[in-house]
Amino acid sequence: MSGPVCALCGTPAPAPFRAPQPEIAPDLDMRPGEPARSTLRDWIAVCRTCGAAAPDLAALPEAARPVVASDEYRMLSTTVLEETLPFRRWALICERTGDSAQRAEALLQAAWAADDAAAMTEASRLRTEVATLWDGTTDTELGLRRLDVLRRAGQFDAAAAWAAELGQRGPDELARTIIGFQTARIAERDVGRHLISAALPPPAHTPHVAHNKRATTGFWSRLLRK
Ligand SMILES: [Zn+2]
């Protein structure tokens, strides 16, 4: 019998975690709704032998080996909030192997883990890093997520400026609605989490958003394409 093994050391590794389908709308930064939301800690596996951290240990590239062996990687366990450690390790691997898109997602997941641990300063700091990585993005969805990330980091001036920039790009109706919702929250100095469904017009416009069991992380994209 042979199952997946860690690509770096050959230790048996779990298969990549598959979160259950969300039944509730995601947050504005695309953290999925329950029941997927509360499985966050299972998204990154950590190899019990070599300490590698990744969504799929069997798929780690050879370039991850020196990263996992580095002092910087090992020192993370003494310098970052424990709940965020797997995500920070995976983010460092992504950084050193040149995958900045995955790195940003890993750091945002670390911010969610910090949220869950009520470590608001750490969550805010991590969001600031994500916002920097997404600075200047021309991708509509990433641009809207960056707006939420800036607001929740308490970077209200930067958030207001980014909202203005997004507004000048000729957003479609849905994006305009979300930008308007965020602008009102920014004016209130609100750093709280909000569901996408809270930002959208009344249900006639978006039927079944909250109850559609097929709604997944892709539904933002589908909404944006409507
Ligand atoms: Zn390993």
Side-chain angles (χ1 to χ4, degrees):
M1 281 202 306
S2 65
V5 297
C6 172
L8 302 188
C9 74
T11 299
F17 181 73
R18 294 182 56 181
Q21 289 286 321
E23 297 180 16
I24 307 290
D27 296 354
L28 282 159
D29 63 4
M30 289 303 288
R31 180 171 181 179
E34 294 292 7
R37 179 186 188 85
S38 57
T39 62
L40 177 65
R41 68 179 59 204
D42 298 320
W43 295 7
I44 303 291
V46 178
C47 177
R48 64 175 182 266
T49 303
C50 73
D56 184 358
L57 291 170
L60 276 169
E62 187 56 32
R65 187 182 301 278
V67 186
V68 171
S70 69
D71 286 344
E72 184 178 2
Y73 188 91
R74 285 190 292 104
M75 288 303 288
L76 283 175
S77 66
T78 63
T79 55
V80 307
L81 183 71
E82 185 182 352
E83 288 87 345
T84 67
L85 181 58
F87 306 99
R88 300 295 300 268
R89 284 172 157 173
W90 171 230
L92 184 60
I93 291 172
C94 294
E95 177 184 356
R96 294 301 153 77
T97 57
D99 191 341
S100 61
Q102 281 288 352
R103 179 188 173 203
E105 296 293 343
L107 290 172
L108 184 56
Q109 289 167 13
W112 298 340
D115 289 342
D116 292 349
M120 305 325 283
T121 305
E122 180 74 358
S124 168
R125 212 180 57 70
L126 285 159
R127 284 190 167 87
T128 300
E129 277 192 69
V130 174
T132 301
L133 289 170
W134 284 346
D135 193 8
T137 182
T138 55
D139 180 276
T140 303
E141 177 179 329
L142 275 190
L144 292 171
R145 293 174 73 197
R146 181 173 190 267
L147 180 54
D148 193 66
V149 165
L150 282 168
R151 178 184 63 78
R152 295 197 60 191
Q155 308 270 339
F156 297 117
D157 290 344
W162 184 243
E165 182 170 339
L166 292 178
Q168 284 164 5
R169 293 180 182 178
D172 63 15
E173 183 189 348
L174 177 72
R176 257 201 328 276
T177 303
I178 290 172
I179 293 165
F181 179 86
Q182 292 281 16
T183 300
R185 303 287 82 70
I186 292 163
E188 291 169 358
R189 299 299 188 250
D190 172 3
V191 296
R193 76 176 264 243
H194 296 282
L195 303 183
I196 284 182
S197 50
L200 298 180
H205 185 72
T206 53
H208 314 307
V209 163
H211 304 290
N212 181 356
K213 298 203 173 187
R214 307 240 45 97
T216 66
T217 52
F219 100 59
W220 177 300
S221 307
R222 288 201 300 280
L223 283 174
L224 289 176
R225 282 190 206 104
K226 263 203 317 214

